[in-house]
Amino acid sequence: MLRKRPDVLDLLVPLRRYARSLTRDTAQADDLVHDTLVRALERQGTLRPGTNLRTWLMTVLHNAFIDDQRRRKVEARYADALGQLADEATPPAQEGHVRLAQVREAFQRLPAEQREALHLVTIEGLAYQEAADVLGIPIGTLMSRLGRARAALRTIESGGAPRLPAPDEPPARPGPRLRVVEGGTGERGTKPARAS
């Protein structure tokens, strides 16, 4: 009797079981399985004929779990570094305290992509290429994000108050610019006839 090749739907139970064993939490396990299926769909072109689908999906799930753990560790280090910075600082004069609070708030209000880049380079001390590799972006994109982030923070430091989006607010896009043209044209680009 021939065994049919397992379908993705047939593998949901073992995927959920493995995800629960890794995360020890049902909700996180469901999120992990979802991320796994999204990644598998995105990378289905890398699946070679004859590859065991179950093994391949379990590998994708495991890698997604490892990536999530690494991300959480970086976020925890980031939170700890900011917490230590706040705890170790002696209470400065009122003006210095206000300025530090403004810079901290400005840093938190930077778009996530700029904040990540600035954190990796300035707080973690990574070289530009290393930070670009961590973020999975070209070095030019990293440099652009760093430049925009530093410019926003410099504006704050010089006493300006740039409008930064709130952390959960999408960046504002400028509206369309319309230009009023006096002495418009008639039909199909011809000038209107003048009255004599």
Side-chain angles (χ1 to χ4, degrees), residues 108-178:
Q108 290 299 325
R109 289 179 151 241
L110 288 173
E113 58 195 18
Q114 292 176 18
R115 201 173 51 243
E116 292 164 355
L118 195 59
H119 173 84
L120 289 173
V121 172
T122 59
I123 295 175
E124 297 301 325
L126 295 181
Y128 293 147
Q129 186 61 56
E130 291 173 325
D133 292 343
V134 167
L135 295 173
I137 58 175
I139 194 167
T141 303
L142 175 81
M143 299 298 287
S144 174
R145 290 176 184 178
L146 285 171
R148 287 192 309 266
R150 288 174 176 157
L153 292 177
R154 264 195 301 275
T155 303
I156 290 284
E157 188 59 30
S158 67
R163 161 73 171 83
L164 295 172
D168 56 350
E169 177 185 331
R173 292 186 178 241
R177 294 184 184 186
L178 300 176

Side-chain angles (χ1 to χ4, degrees), residues 39-113:
R39 284 185 183 196
L41 281 173
E42 291 172 348
R43 296 180 178 113
Q44 65 186 346
T46 64
L47 183 61
R48 295 185 205 131
T51 301
N52 183 326
L53 183 62
R54 179 181 177 149
T55 304
W56 185 72
L57 284 173
M58 291 289 189
T59 302
V60 172
L61 184 135
H62 182 79
N63 290 340
F65 174 75
I66 297 298
D67 290 347
D68 186 57
Q69 292 300 304
R70 287 180 182 151
R71 180 185 53 79
R72 288 174 192 248
K73 284 180 184 175
V74 168
E75 289 174 353
R77 266 190 275 144
Y78 174 74
D80 289 345
L82 284 179
Q84 279 183 338
L85 182 64
D87 293 341
E88 292 175 4
T90 57
Q94 185 63 27
E95 183 179 324
H97 183 68
V98 169
R99 179 56 99 208
L100 179 60
Q102 289 172 336
V103 170
R104 186 179 301 130
E105 180 182 338
F107 184 79
Q108 290 299 325
R109 289 179 151 241
L110 288 173
E113 58 195 18

Side-chain angles (χ1 to χ4, degrees), residues 15-36 61:
L15 285 172
R16 287 189 76 217
R17 191 170 42 237
Y18 184 48
R20 267 189 259 136
S21 128
L22 292 172
T23 63
R24 299 182 195 143
D25 179 56
T26 304
Q28 286 181 357
D30 288 342
D31 290 344
L32 182 57
V33 170
H34 178 266
D35 292 345
T36 299
L61 184 135

